[in-house]
Amino acid sequence: MPPYRTGKHNKRPPPDGFEDIEDTLLEFQNKMKDAENASHEGKKKYEMLWPIFQITHQRSRYIYDLYYEKEAISKTLYDWLLKNGYADANLIAKWKKQGYEKLCCSRCIQTKETNFNSTCICRVPKNQLQEGQNVQCVNCGCRGCSSAD
Amino acid sequence: MTSLPPKPGVTSLPPLAPGWTEHKAPSGHTYYFHKETKKSTYVRPAAQPPQTKHNPFSLPAPGTAQNGFQAGNYNYSAQQQNPFANNPFAPPQQQQNPFSNNPFAPPQQNPFATNTFAPPQQGLHHGNAQQHPRGGSRGDHHNFPERRKQPEDRPKHRHDIPNCAPWVLVKTKLGRRFVWNKETNESFWKFPQDVMIAVVEFDRLEREKKEWKKRGELEEKEEDAPVAALVEAVTPNSHPKEPETEPVAEGDEVGGDSEYEEVEVTDDEEEEVENASKKLRTADPSEDQPLEMGEDDIAWQLAAMEEEGYAEEEEEEGLPLTEEDCKALFRDLLEDARVNPYHTWEKILEDGILFEDDRYKALPTMKARKECWDEWARDKIHILKEMKAKQEKKDPRVPYMAFLHKYATPKLYWPEFRRKYKKEPEMKDTKLSDKDREKWYREHINRLKLPQLTLKSDLSALLKAQHISALNRSTTLDTLPSSVLSDIRFISLPSSVRDPLVQTYISTLPAAPENAAQSAEEEAEAAKKRVERGRRERALAERERRVKEDQRKQRRDLEYGKSRLREGEEELQRAMNVGKGGLRAQLSAAQDE
């Protein structure tokens, strides 16, 4: 039987620099909790997931910016954050690729899940949409995340 | 005041009580005025006195019935005990149900009842005029069968006054303004003191907004719609219902200026109004708040500028505000607002700390601001990092040792001690491992059992081992180096014994070695930065001034063009005006000129 680990004394402390971003991450956590507990009254089933996706995206973007753009956090802290689920590593991996800089969620580029083997409507650049066409995708409520926008 | 001849009452009615006179309101209602008590009422005061008691109002001003405000409000009750229950001009404490549906219950100080018709030569003070709403001068108009129709006024725009929550500024159709308290339902033409300040501020904002609109219509293209919505309150562009603050009908009926005072509205008695408003100005010259520009104001300003000459316009080109300066201004703002560089941009916008400042508008678009913010945050974080690296690391052992010194006793085993104090932050600190904690606890308990002499010698050995730069005569008990504080030998003695020992040891030490020279360079750098910053701020102010100047110039040009046009027209008119005198008369006229 593996050792039963619990309590604070077994936990490794987070790497240095975590205390700087702790407040913001807590805020994101609270927002996420609110979104999880929000009422479903009058909403479509898929609409319930939109805020979840949105907050995940924002939090991932925050950590991505801190590490890659502002170089504010260390590699160890970044890895620790990814490991502990503060950011979506797969999504960040996409952001590093050309053409995917603003990708909203990884589900929106899953071509195999759609009938015509295409990406989500939110991936279409604004100038290729019809005049005055407003899109909001079903997966995550994204209104357009093409890099050309 | 000349008293007016009392109009004979209708014969069928009972005679009036002594002192009362009967008058006809412009709306056609008959009302009664008592000259001594200054009371007036719609209820006919018969000879028996108790009737008059029904009228609790001292300031009736029924002459205001022509006012458009109350047009919909007249639903007299059958008994007409209190004619003013329905009168919006009743004093505010009397305002009850009739007003619940009328948000624009007009002000209590009735501007319509003031000296609209009182010839200004009488030098009536305003308050005074209100006291005599049925002034004799008014009587002249009574006998006119068809009164000149008063322009109908009604509320047109409504603005919230910032920082003055329940008060709302209402603009009427004729361009006059009054304030209305949403909660208490009070309204005044004459602004109360605190509201006045807020309104002046509001006007300033409005003017700035207009200027910005003129200046930056092109450059303002907000990218992020949600953010733009957030900032809308401050950024000048795209205000959807940008209220038109110019008087609706200029020069026609309103005397343009002095909008903080009550303004009378007449159709043709322009001169009187002019006089009145001028009188107002001279009456309290201290009123130098920014007023809205009426045409005569502009003219006056133009005249003033003519006197000044154009000399100053040439030297305005100094202190240019470059793009870098704008950025630097915004960065200064971020610096001053003590924004946390680790926050997200959205969070900062939500908090709304930046909007108040003028420097927020140094950058024209939201995109530029965000870029600037990103840059600033990056730099700031790096600076913070360097500072942290320079700072000596706070040893996590220090608070734990202090904690042990306070609470550890030989009576408790480690598991007991841990269980007892598990809620304490020192025991939860993740920087220390539990094993270390246990080890130090056991060691400390073991040392407590040693004789005090050994402990004392240990402590002195510890103190002697410190370097002179860390521990010298200027150190106090609170500023001991962490190498001392985190040592197990330091906490073994109770503080009543230990502190005097340490203090005596410190007093024997020499002073700290000198090393203050290094800071001179840093100081110079800081001074340089300060100078830079002052220059940028001055440049921003300069830019604002220049824009204002430009506007004034433009206005003057317009004025000039208009006058030229008028002159031309007049000339034409003169030329067209061929008299009967024939050619000779014309020629002689030309010669005269």
Side-chain angles (χ1 to χ4, degrees), chain B residues 171 175 177 203 206-207 210 244-247 256-260 281 289-297:
Chain B
K171 188 136 207 167
R177 318 194 303 171
D203 279 357
E206 286 286 315
R207 237 172 297 133
K210 257 193 225 157
E244 201 51 54
T245 32
E246 289 296 324
D257 54 356
S258 73
E259 54 177 3
Y260 295 106
R281 277 182 153 187
Q289 277 96 2
L291 296 172
E292 224 164 54
M293 304 287 274
E295 275 195 344
D296 46 351
D297 272 24

Side-chain angles (χ1 to χ4, degrees), chain A residues 8-9 11-14 16-17 19-21 23-24 27-28 31 62 65-66 69-74, chain B residues 340-344 346-347 350 370 373-374 377-378 381-382 385 388 393 418 428 430-431 433-434 437:
Chain A
K8 289 260 174 3
H9 50 277
K11 231 186 224 169
R12 281 265 196 79
D16 287 341
E19 56 268 25
D20 292 331
I21 57 173
D23 292 342
T24 313
E27 235 160 66
F28 275 125
K31 256 196 218 167
Y62 173 61
D65 278 349
L66 279 185
E69 309 289 329
K70 295 181 185 160
E71 294 160 4
I73 56 177
S74 62
Chain B
N340 184 352
Y342 289 101
H343 274 333
T344 55
E346 287 79 22
K347 168 92 170 46
E350 266 172 40
K370 180 163 193 302
W373 146 258
D374 280 337
R378 182 186 304 158
I381 286 170
H382 278 268
K385 254 190 187 170
K388 237 180 236 171
K393 276 244 172 78
R418 193 178 67 189
K428 285 201 288 190
T430 47
K431 291 274 158 54
S433 74
D434 227 30
R437 271 199 211 110

Side-chain angles (χ1 to χ4, degrees), chain B residues 144-212:
Chain B
F144 292 175
E146 291 121 32
R147 286 184 49 81
R148 183 191 60 233
K149 197 167 178 329
Q150 287 284 304
E152 277 214 336
D153 206 352
R154 61 189 161 76
K156 191 130 191 233
H157 297 293
R158 178 180 147 176
H159 321 270
D160 288 328
I161 305 174
N163 305 327
C164 201
W167 289 97
V168 174
L169 184 70
V170 184
K171 188 136 207 167
T172 64
K173 194 178 143 208
L174 293 180
R176 295 171 307 165
R177 318 194 303 171
F178 65 86
V179 285
W180 170 54
N181 192 331
K182 266 194 269 183
E183 277 162 20
T184 60
N185 222 350
E186 289 173 312
S187 37
F188 300 104
W189 288 112
K190 191 158 177 100
F191 305 157
Q193 193 56 45
D194 47 341
V195 183
M196 171 74 124
I197 293 163
V199 170
V200 170
E201 179 65 18
F202 171 76
D203 279 357
R204 199 179 56 74
L205 283 180
E206 286 286 315
R207 237 172 297 133
E208 272 177 16
K209 229 183 261 177
K210 257 193 225 157
E211 272 164 28
W212 271 91

Side-chain angles (χ1 to χ4, degrees), chain A residues 89-119:
Chain A
N90 291 327
L91 192 56
I92 289 180
K94 291 289 173 228
W95 287 342
K96 291 188 232 168
K97 291 168 72 179
Q98 194 182 14
Y100 293 88
E101 287 91 348
K102 292 181 188 167
L103 179 64
C104 56
C105 68
S106 39
R107 207 201 255 178
C108 283
I109 48 167
Q110 270 299 343
T111 51
K112 285 175 192 165
E113 285 181 7
T114 53
N115 284 344
F116 296 102
N117 281 342
S118 63
T119 56

Side-chain angles (χ1 to χ4, degrees), chain B residues 276-483:
Chain B
S277 57
K278 259 171 208 153
K279 207 151 257 165
L280 274 178
R281 277 182 153 187
T282 47
D284 48 358
S286 65
E287 174 136 59
D288 52 357
Q289 277 96 2
L291 296 172
E292 224 164 54
M293 304 287 274
E295 275 195 344
D296 46 351
D297 272 24
I298 293 169
W300 178 82
Q301 250 189 6
L302 293 178
M305 278 190 42
E306 229 77 68
E307 284 165 23
E308 281 172 29
Y310 304 103
E312 64 171 355
E313 273 166 40
E314 264 78 60
E315 61 195 40
E316 272 161 20
E317 304 311 317
L319 286 178
L321 201 58
T322 62
E323 210 164 301
E324 288 95 60
D325 281 343
C326 289
K327 268 189 183 171
L329 273 170
F330 193 72
R331 288 172 76 118
D332 288 343
L333 166 65
L334 289 170
E335 200 81 47
D336 285 350
R338 302 191 178 284
V339 178
N340 184 352
Y342 289 101
H343 274 333
T344 55
W345 176 236
E346 287 79 22
K347 168 92 170 46
I348 287 154
L349 288 182
E350 266 172 40
D351 288 351
I353 357 170
L354 306 181
F355 304 148
E356 312 284 309
D357 207 288
D358 275 347
R359 288 172 290 182
Y360 179 78
K361 284 178 260 173
L363 289 176
T365 62
M366 219 55 207
K367 202 178 183 184
R369 281 181 204 127
K370 180 163 193 302
E371 266 168 25
C372 194
W373 146 258
D374 280 337
E375 261 173 47
W376 175 80
R378 182 186 304 158
D379 297 349
K380 183 82 183 167
I381 286 170
H382 278 268
I383 290 168
L384 284 180
K385 254 190 187 170
E386 274 168 29
M387 266 167 60
K388 237 180 236 171
K390 250 190 230 168
Q391 252 178 8
E392 53 183 321
K393 276 244 172 78
K394 193 124 201 285
D395 200 334
R397 277 188 299 172
V398 172
Y400 182 67
M401 287 298 172
F403 184 73
L404 280 189
H405 184 236
K406 213 169 167 191
Y407 294 110
T409 77
K411 285 180 194 157
L412 291 177
Y413 291 119
W414 166 245
E416 292 168 329
F417 180 80
R418 193 178 67 189
R419 199 184 316 130
K420 186 170 179 184
Y421 294 110
K422 69 179 173 196
K423 291 275 169 62
E424 303 297 325
E426 286 86 355
M427 298 295 282
K428 285 201 288 190
D429 189 6
T430 47
K431 291 274 158 54
L432 291 174
S433 74
D434 227 30
K435 266 183 194 162
D436 284 337
R437 271 199 211 110
E438 184 179 355
K439 194 178 83 190
W440 290 323
Y441 181 78
R442 288 184 191 284
E443 202 178 331
H444 178 56
I445 297 299
N446 285 337
R447 281 180 62 80
L448 284 182
K449 290 171 189 158
L450 290 176
Q452 221 172 45
L453 210 64
T454 337
L455 298 179
K456 275 182 186 168
S457 61
D458 277 353
L459 179 63
S460 64
L462 166 69
L463 291 177
K464 267 171 200 156
Q466 302 305 316
H467 193 260
I468 187 67
S469 60
L471 192 67
N472 48 50
R473 199 188 294 168
S474 54
T475 7
T476 61
L477 277 181
D478 301 326
T479 57
L480 287 171
S482 63
S483 55

